[in-house]
Amino acid sequence: MKKVIIIGGGVIGLCSAYYLVREGHQVIVVDQTSMDHGASFVNAGYLTPSHFIPLAAPGVMKQGLRSIFDPASPLFIKPRFNRYFLEWAWAFNKSCTASNVAQSIKILKDINLWSADLFSEIRSSEGFTFQLENKGLLILCLTEKMLEEELRLSQIASEEGLDVKQLSTSEINTMESNVTLNAIGALHYQCDWHMTPHEFMNEMYDWLKMKNVIFYKNEQVVDIQVSGGVIKKIITSNDSFTGDEFVLAAGSWSDLLSRKLGIRILLEAGKGYRIDVDKHTGITIPSVLAEAKVAVTPMNGFTRFAGTMEIAGVNHKINRVRVDAIAEAARRYYPDISISNDERENAACGLRAISPDGKPYIGKSSKCNNLIIATGHAMMGWSMAPATGKLVAEIISEEKPSFNIDHFSPDRRF
């Protein structure tokens, strides 16, 4: 048995704690927040084998820079004369290639499929009651151009063995008969699942507490003491912690903490927003509004509209223009649904950690013997969380990983 200190109490941290407990380890979770908000609570709740194209794809960098002149653009990259941003931007631009996409497709698809199975195993084995539904994912298109683009992606999906089919307008209306939809066609990925994030987070937290995992909330890591390539102690704003192994699962803050160890992992924070609509919308199947890049999820008791990728540093400022863009996108695709001013005012945001090549960092760095890094999942942090947590536990337990983690190395170069 090892004493493991997990830095970060988001979904990656909690899933790591879950599998470490199952392996018999003693676990302490340290988080700088109250653990009741952020990306793990405001995400779309998707388990997405269908999302096999990494963010770093041809043309994305140019699209992001053009967004400077369009504050409502789904993707926004704010240029900054900051060394760390410039290093990330250079590496991201180099990764926006067809070869990176081709190399990533099978990796991202396979780990998402595995992770969806693990979510199901967690729910059934522990008697949890959190929402977990396999209704698939609709990709709704307003234009022929977008429909053609999504059809090309669906052909790749089919070649990879994913269950996807094209739907006509009448077939869409049959599937979503309780809501008026404005779309000329859609793709339906039956392989995808959806959840209500806070249900999972709260149930997992309670289970971990019952299993004697100790949580320290509102504890910001201010220093890390290292000797001979081994972490001896982390020092927080109010305490200090020693352990045998340390897991860095602090999302967008992982980059800042890794610098204290002399480890350079390239990360940027990608802000996403959500609007929750409590009134009955009639929406029953999760959907992506393709042109607007907005995710729509029927969660337990409400419908969530989520979207945007705003790469503008670590901050939680709410940009009302971007919130309004999500609400207006919802109206274009669902003309009978109106999102109120109060619902817009209650919008929240979260930060997703973005690596340059669109693949996460999972594994040990050669510069620190007792540190496992688990971050950089971009839009798929929720989807990949159980798989990441299981890999973390296997590494710490010195077992052969269930998934090839070579492509996730924190030491990889771009």
Side-chain angles (χ1 to χ4, degrees), residues 4 46 48 107 155 168 177 278 293 325 371 374 391 399 404:
V4 184
Y46 288 170
T48 52
I107 298 166
Q155 290 170 358
S168 65
S177 58
D278 291 334
K293 303 296 187 288
L371 174 71
L391 290 170
E399 301 170 358
N404 185 352

Side-chain angles (χ1 to χ4, degrees), residues 44-52 108-109 112-117 119 132-139 150 157 161-165 175 187-195 284-288 295-298 379-380 383:
Y46 288 170
L47 313 184
T48 52
S50 65
H51 286 37
F52 49 76
L108 295 179
K109 179 208 68 175
N112 273 292
L113 284 170
W114 179 43
S115 204
D117 287 342
F119 264 118
L132 179 63
E133 294 189 70
N134 176 215
K135 292 185 175 181
L137 180 69
L138 289 173
I139 309 295
E150 292 296 337
L162 296 181
D163 185 359
V164 56
K165 67 175 181 178
M175 290 185 70
L187 282 305
H188 186 218
Y189 287 87
Q190 187 59 51
C191 51
D192 286 19
W193 298 63
H194 73 283
M195 305 171 64
T284 62
I285 301 173
S287 301
V288 170
V296 184
T297 316
M379 299 87 70
M380 292 177 279
S383 187

Side-chain angles (χ1 to χ4, degrees), residues 159-196:
E159 291 168 2
E160 288 292 327
L162 296 181
D163 185 359
V164 56
K165 67 175 181 178
Q166 183 180 0
L167 300 180
S168 65
T169 302
S170 61
E171 288 172 320
I172 299 168
N173 291 332
T174 298
M175 290 185 70
E176 281 287 36
S177 58
N178 296 319
V179 62
T180 302
L181 259 169
N182 180 24
I184 65 166
L187 282 305
H188 186 218
Y189 287 87
Q190 187 59 51
C191 51
D192 286 19
W193 298 63
H194 73 283
M195 305 171 64
T196 300

Side-chain angles (χ1 to χ4, degrees), residues 85-151:
F85 168 75
L86 293 174
E87 287 179 357
W88 177 89
W90 178 257
F92 180 72
N93 188 52
K94 285 173 62 180
S95 299
C96 287
T97 63
S99 60
N100 179 55
V101 171
Q103 187 255 10
S104 301
I105 286 173
K106 181 174 174 53
I107 298 166
L108 295 179
K109 179 208 68 175
D110 285 350
I111 193 169
N112 273 292
L113 284 170
W114 179 43
S115 204
D117 287 342
L118 293 177
F119 264 118
S120 185
E121 286 179 15
I122 290 171
R123 192 180 190 279
S124 60
S125 62
E126 307 302 342
F128 288 152
T129 60
F130 57 80
Q131 180 194 26
L132 179 63
E133 294 189 70
N134 176 215
K135 292 185 175 181
L137 180 69
L138 289 173
I139 309 295
L140 300 173
C141 300
L142 289 176
T143 64
E144 290 288 350
K145 180 181 178 182
M146 182 56 70
L147 184 58
E148 289 174 6
E149 183 178 325
E150 292 296 337
L151 277 169

Side-chain angles (χ1 to χ4, degrees), residues 12-306:
I12 302 293
L14 294 195
C15 285
S16 297
Y18 172 80
Y19 285 105
L20 286 164
V21 166
R22 294 283 298 265
E23 292 275 344
H25 300 292
Q26 177 188 355
V27 180
I28 293 173
V29 177
V30 180
D31 194 274
Q32 65 178 353
T33 74
S34 54
M35 292 180 58
D36 57 4
H37 62 280
S40 293
F41 287 84
V42 305
N43 67 85
Y46 288 170
L47 313 184
T48 52
S50 65
H51 286 37
F52 49 76
I53 302 297
L55 181 62
V60 172
M61 187 64 170
K62 291 179 182 178
Q63 177 189 345
L65 293 176
R66 284 198 301 268
S67 69
I68 297 169
F69 306 103
D70 181 7
S73 171
L75 172 65
F76 174 73
I77 300 177
K78 180 181 179 180
R80 283 158 282 142
F81 292 103
N82 171 288
R83 168 194 164 190
Y84 300 107
F85 168 75
L86 293 174
E87 287 179 357
W88 177 89
W90 178 257
F92 180 72
N93 188 52
K94 285 173 62 180
S95 299
C96 287
T97 63
S99 60
N100 179 55
V101 171
Q103 187 255 10
S104 301
I105 286 173
K106 181 174 174 53
I107 298 166
L108 295 179
K109 179 208 68 175
D110 285 350
I111 193 169
N112 273 292
L113 284 170
W114 179 43
S115 204
D117 287 342
L118 293 177
F119 264 118
S120 185
E121 286 179 15
I122 290 171
R123 192 180 190 279
S124 60
S125 62
E126 307 302 342
F128 288 152
T129 60
F130 57 80
Q131 180 194 26
L132 179 63
E133 294 189 70
N134 176 215
K135 292 185 175 181
L137 180 69
L138 289 173
I139 309 295
L140 300 173
C141 300
L142 289 176
T143 64
E144 290 288 350
K145 180 181 178 182
M146 182 56 70
L147 184 58
E148 289 174 6
E149 183 178 325
E150 292 296 337
L151 277 169
R152 285 195 295 272
L153 291 178
S154 73
Q155 290 170 358
I156 298 172
S158 292
E159 291 168 2
E160 288 292 327
L162 296 181
D163 185 359
V164 56
K165 67 175 181 178
Q166 183 180 0
L167 300 180
S168 65
T169 302
S170 61
E171 288 172 320
I172 299 168
N173 291 332
T174 298
M175 290 185 70
E176 281 287 36
S177 58
N178 296 319
V179 62
T180 302
L181 259 169
N182 180 24
I184 65 166
L187 282 305
H188 186 218
Y189 287 87
Q190 187 59 51
C191 51
D192 286 19
W193 298 63
H194 73 283
M195 305 171 64
T196 300
H198 72 264
E199 292 182 349
F200 176 84
M201 293 296 290
N202 293 339
E203 287 193 44
M204 181 57 76
Y205 175 81
D206 290 342
W207 185 91
L208 291 170
K209 289 273 287 186
M210 184 179 66
K211 297 295 182 179
N212 299 316
V213 173
I214 301 173
F215 289 88
Y216 290 86
K217 302 179 184 180
N218 300 305
E219 289 284 354
Q220 183 177 4
V221 176
V222 296
D223 198 12
I224 303 175
Q225 294 183 359
V226 182
S227 177
V230 174
I231 298 176
K232 299 297 184 181
K233 179 190 296 185
I234 64 168
I235 300 170
T236 66
S237 44
N238 297 297
D239 214 329
S240 63
F241 302 89
T242 59
D244 302 309
E245 300 276 358
F246 294 80
V247 179
L248 181 54
S252 298
W253 289 266
S254 300
D255 176 26
L256 302 173
L257 295 174
S258 70
R259 294 177 209 168
K260 298 179 183 294
L261 298 163
I263 298 172
R264 184 71 186 104
I265 54 171
L266 298 180
L267 280 179
E268 275 295 312
K271 188 188 299 178
Y273 297 85
R274 70 98 178 106
I275 305 172
D276 288 344
V277 176
D278 291 334
K279 58 181 176 287
H280 177 69
T281 63
I283 298 170
T284 62
I285 301 173
S287 301
V288 170
L289 314 182
E291 287 85 356
K293 303 296 187 288
V294 168
V296 184
T297 316
M299 296 186 179
N300 266 346
F302 61 96
T303 302
R304 175 164 291 174
F305 297 84

